[in-house]
Amino acid sequence: MPLNHFEHVTEQLAQAKQAVERMQENQTGFAEAQQHVKIAEEALNELMHDPDLISETDQKEIQRASDLLRLIVETYQASN
């Protein structure tokens, strides 16, 4: 995992968002979008449940990432 764990989470969220957007545009790529959403969820959960990682990341940023993930998941689910 990269040295900056929050950057890793943000990258995973961006990839999930792009995959869901592609899925909406093309009506294909459901498995790819699902995989990216799952990876983003896992990365964020790891960050949230490891006290050593949280101490190096602003709690406000974690909340924003969590909100973004929730919106991505809702968009994915609505598109299925």
Side-chain angles (χ1 to χ4, degrees), residues 1-55:
M1 192 168 227
L3 290 176
N4 187 330
H5 297 282
F6 191 72
E7 284 181 14
H8 175 70
V9 169
T10 4
E11 177 62 29
Q12 295 307 317
L13 288 169
Q15 289 181 20
K17 181 178 180 280
Q18 290 172 352
V20 170
E21 288 171 348
R22 283 192 304 269
M23 178 188 74
Q24 286 180 304
E25 291 172 3
N26 303 330
Q27 293 301 310
T28 60
F30 294 106
E32 178 189 2
Q34 183 179 31
Q35 179 183 14
H36 282 291
V37 168
K38 182 179 179 188
I39 291 169
E41 286 175 329
E42 290 171 355
L44 183 58
N45 281 334
E46 181 180 335
L47 180 67
M48 292 173 65
H49 290 96
D50 188 335
D52 294 333
L53 300 179
I54 290 176
S55 64

